[in-house]
Amino acid sequence: MNGKTANTIDTKKLASLIQTYGIVLVLIIMIIVISILNPRFLGVTNLFNVLSQTAIYGILALGMTFVITSQGIDLSVGSVLALAGCVAASFAQVSGASQKYFPNMGQMPLIVPILLCLLVGSLSGALNGWLIAATKIPPFIATLGMHTVARGLVLVYTGGIPISNLLPAFDSIGQGKIFGYIPVAVLVYIFMILISWVLLHNTKFGKAVYALGGNKRAAEISGVNVSRTLIIIYAYCGLLASVAAIVYAGRAGSMHPSAATGYELTAVAATTVGGTSHTGGIGTIWGAVIGALLISVLRNGLTLLSVSSYWQQIAEGVIIVAAVIVDMRKNRGKK
């Protein structure tokens, strides 16, 4: 009897470990398989390239973790990234918008385009949150509307023309390296990971996010200001989209009105694969980090293996659906 009980306990522990760390095992297996098929994958240059790519997706996934944990979704992050990035790039040009509209002011300091970028992203996200809180419309509809509006504003602002010739200091945020190896973009990503981890797991706000995702009505009764929390959640998601925009623009050395098309789906994929539940109330920062890394490793590996980008999109779509199915089966009966 005791043996059976012990075996049952061991089985439950094993199942719990797989449920918690299974995504890490999948990532390790993926790295091993790709490395065997193409040893170049483990090259130092390629590994840092993967980390740089992960930085943009990962920063978006951090914000999406807050949103999905609260039982919402944000389909506007790609367009907000493009809008905020184009605004920042236009003021960070060697001969940019600052000269065009304010010819007597000279070149703006680097802090100006950065702050404008963060402001555009935060306000866009806050507007999403306000619409959801004030009108009670589904997050899917509200953020889909912002997605379309933001993309339209980018075209109006730029006239459909790419913005290039950025300041070297601005480019260094996306292209610079510390000690000749560590990308500055990765350091920005790590900084945002730490801030997001503290906010979600060690603050009253983080507890409100989980409460909101678990049961909105119960959270309201327990004293959570639902409207304010929703606005902050989406504002933070927009803020992170603007941080990703700075990294994106610096890395590319320019901004195009169509930049970051489809990035919202990548952010959702990374967050979902990382274990954040679309039923709400379940989500971790480390899961978002691993999910984003898995997506980047998959894309980089398939590229090294000369797999068409079309098939890469198919693979990513399959991963999203599979992750949601696993999530639904795992959390069935919990609510």
Side-chain angles (χ1 to χ4, degrees):
M1 185 69 178
N2 291 334
K4 290 182 178 180
T5 302
N7 289 335
T8 301
I9 293 174
D10 290 340
T11 302
K12 288 182 177 180
K13 285 184 177 180
L14 180 61
S16 178
L17 286 173
I18 292 175
Q19 180 176 307
T20 304
Y21 300 107
I23 185 64
V24 177
L25 180 61
V26 171
L27 177 61
I28 293 173
I29 293 174
M30 184 181 295
I31 291 174
I32 292 173
V33 171
I34 294 174
S35 301
I36 292 173
L37 295 176
N38 192 326
R40 285 191 301 156
F41 176 79
L42 291 179
V44 174
T45 301
N46 185 64
L47 289 177
F48 277 118
N49 183 49
V50 170
L51 290 176
S52 295
Q53 292 175 339
T54 305
I56 298 173
Y57 303 141
I59 291 171
L60 291 177
L62 293 175
M64 196 65 71
T65 298
F66 284 78
V67 171
I68 295 180
T69 300
S70 69
Q71 211 174 67
I73 195 165
D74 191 343
L75 299 178
S76 69
V77 291
S79 297
V80 169
L81 186 159
L83 176 60
C86 283
V87 170
S90 66
F91 281 88
Q93 281 184 296
V94 174
S95 297
S98 56
Q99 278 78 23
K100 181 178 179 181
Y101 297 108
F102 309 102
N104 297 323
M105 291 185 65
Q107 179 62 53
M108 295 284 186
L110 180 62
I111 190 66
V112 173
I114 290 176
L115 290 179
L116 285 173
C117 183
L118 298 179
L119 180 63
V120 170
S122 300
L123 289 178
S124 300
L127 181 57
N128 277 332
W130 178 82
L131 282 172
I132 295 167
T135 66
K136 309 300 180 184
I137 61 177
F140 178 91
I141 301 300
T143 58
L144 182 61
M146 177 57 72
H147 162 79
T148 306
V149 169
R151 191 64 70 175
L153 286 174
V154 174
L155 294 171
V156 170
Y157 184 78
T158 63
I161 301 173
I163 303 171
S164 57
N165 195 26
L166 307 185
L167 292 169
F170 191 88
D171 285 342
S172 67
I173 299 175
Q175 301 175 17
K177 295 180 180 180
I178 304 297
F179 306 122
Y181 289 101
I182 305 173
V184 174
V186 174
L187 297 180
V188 173
Y189 180 33
I190 292 173
F191 181 67
M192 298 316 301
I193 289 172
L194 294 175
I195 291 178
S196 299
W197 185 84
V198 171
L199 283 176
L200 187 60
H201 300 295
N202 290 276
T203 66
K204 185 178 179 181
F205 167 66
K207 292 179 181 178
V209 173
Y210 282 112
L212 206 58
N215 188 312
K216 186 179 294 186
R217 179 59 181 164
E220 192 172 16
I221 293 174
S222 65
V224 174
N225 188 321
V226 174
S227 295
R228 183 175 63 187
T229 302
L230 282 172
I231 292 173
I232 296 175
I233 289 172
Y234 283 89
Y236 186 64
C237 187
L239 174 68
L240 287 174
S242 62
V243 173
I246 295 171
V247 175
Y248 183 104
R251 192 163 187 263
S254 64
M255 278 298 295
H256 194 282
S258 63
T261 298
Y263 274 40
E264 56 278 345
L265 299 182
T266 302
V268 171
T271 307
T272 304
V273 169
T276 300
S277 175
H278 286 261
T279 60
I282 300 173
T284 61
I285 295 302
W286 83 267
V289 172
I290 297 298
L293 185 58
L294 189 147
I295 294 293
S296 294
V297 167
L298 175 66
R299 288 186 171 183
N300 181 266
L302 292 178
T303 299
L304 288 177
L305 297 175
S306 300
V307 176
S308 167
S309 60
Y310 305 142
W311 284 104
Q312 291 183 34
Q313 290 186 13
I314 292 173
E316 189 172 319
V318 170
I319 287 175
I320 294 175
V321 174
V324 172
I325 291 174
V326 171
D327 169 63
M328 291 176 66
R329 292 176 65 87
K330 181 176 67 177
N331 296 299
R332 186 176 296 167
K334 287 186 178 182
K335 291 193 175 188

